[in-house]
Amino acid sequence: MKEAHHLDRRPAFTLVELLVIVVALALLAAMLMPALVKRKKAATRMNCANNLKQVSLAFRIWAGDSGDRYPMRVSTTNGGTMEWVTSGSVWPHFQVMSKELNNPNVLICPADNRKPATNWTTLTGSNISYFVCLDADETQPQMWLSGDSNLELDGKPVSSGTLNLWTNSNVGWTAARHIRQGYVALGDGSVQQYSSSKLREALAVTGVATNRLAIP
């Protein structure tokens, strides 16, 4: 008795059909990619703004326990950072607020390639994305308090250290981080998103002739 042999005929894609599928998937990916990139950028900006909101709150809580003065206006003998102001270093002004900030990760913008400090004792400028306005005053609500440090002056990126800005300084953002946009925490507790032109407008109404920024 002969055994019956059955051929297993399964449908298979032809080369043309396979190419059509590959092209369709590529087109679909190309259509979705801009939306995904846009969503990622929006999330990054939101996280940066939230970081600065926490920084602003930490400054205000610290000031509330120190006679309504920010660390930069309180001597080191009383737990402040006044003697550090002339050094241009930014890290001491954040380090003294370790209790209020809780975690040094909050000092890194998600769009920055810097790494957060592992703990507060090892904190340096290389672990910080945000500047500190050394002249910030609780009585001046429109003064800058802190913000993205990727600034440029007269078209050139600023260096770490003290940056003096006057009301008519040609300051703006570099293309890094938020693509010529940035965030600034004001003395009134708000966090504002500025373009370069809006940043210059905000500088003109801070209420003081000179703003000294400590750039990390």
Side-chain angles (χ1 to χ4, degrees):
M1 183 177 181
K2 295 183 179 181
E3 294 182 0
H5 294 278
H6 299 283
L7 295 178
D8 188 6
R9 298 176 180 268
R10 296 178 181 176
F13 290 118
T14 66
L15 180 59
V16 173
E17 290 172 332
L18 185 59
L19 288 174
V20 169
I21 292 173
V22 170
V23 170
L25 290 174
L27 289 174
L28 182 62
M31 292 171 61
L32 292 176
M33 190 60 67
L36 293 175
V37 171
K38 186 176 181 180
R39 181 175 295 181
K40 183 177 179 181
K41 288 181 178 179
T44 297
R45 290 179 176 179
M46 183 178 295
N47 288 336
C48 180
N50 287 338
N51 283 354
L52 281 170
K53 197 72 176 176
Q54 293 181 60
V55 167
S56 176
L57 180 61
F59 268 111
R60 294 172 70 83
I61 292 174
W62 197 97
D65 295 331
S66 306
D68 292 330
R69 294 175 299 168
Y70 294 130
M72 301 79 74
R73 293 178 176 269
V74 177
S75 173
T76 54
T77 58
N78 294 317
T81 57
M82 182 185 294
E83 287 77 10
W84 281 97
V85 167
T86 56
S87 73
S89 298
V90 68
W91 61 267
H93 311 300
F94 288 118
Q95 191 179 60
V96 297
M97 299 190 299
S98 60
K99 183 175 67 174
E100 289 79 10
L101 288 168
N102 189 35
N103 194 315
N105 289 353
V106 75
L107 301 179
I108 294 291
C109 170
D112 195 356
N113 57 11
R114 304 185 190 204
K115 302 297 182 184
T118 54
N119 55 66
W120 288 106
T121 58
T122 61
L123 182 70
T124 68
S126 63
N127 309 123
I128 300 170
S129 300
Y130 305 117
F131 68 75
V132 168
C133 183
L134 300 171
D135 303 304
D137 189 333
E138 275 263 305
T139 65
Q140 298 284 349
Q142 293 306 304
M143 282 193 71
W144 297 358
L145 182 56
S146 187
D148 281 309
S149 62
N150 59 306
L151 297 167
E152 62 180 21
L153 187 62
D154 296 325
K156 298 180 180 179
V158 301
S159 302
S160 59
T162 303
L163 174 67
N164 294 317
L165 294 179
W166 292 269
T167 53
N168 61 347
S169 292
N170 184 26
V171 66
W173 306 106
T174 67
R177 302 187 195 175
H178 309 302
I179 312 177
R180 300 198 180 278
Q181 300 274 332
Y183 290 92
V184 175
L186 302 181
D188 62 5
S190 67
V191 174
Q192 303 294 329
Q193 180 182 0
Y194 293 131
S195 62
S196 291
S197 60
K198 291 296 183 181
L199 183 69
R200 290 188 286 273
E201 292 178 13
L203 177 63
V205 296
T206 56
V208 293
T210 305
N211 286 270
R212 293 180 299 165
L213 309 184
I215 306 294

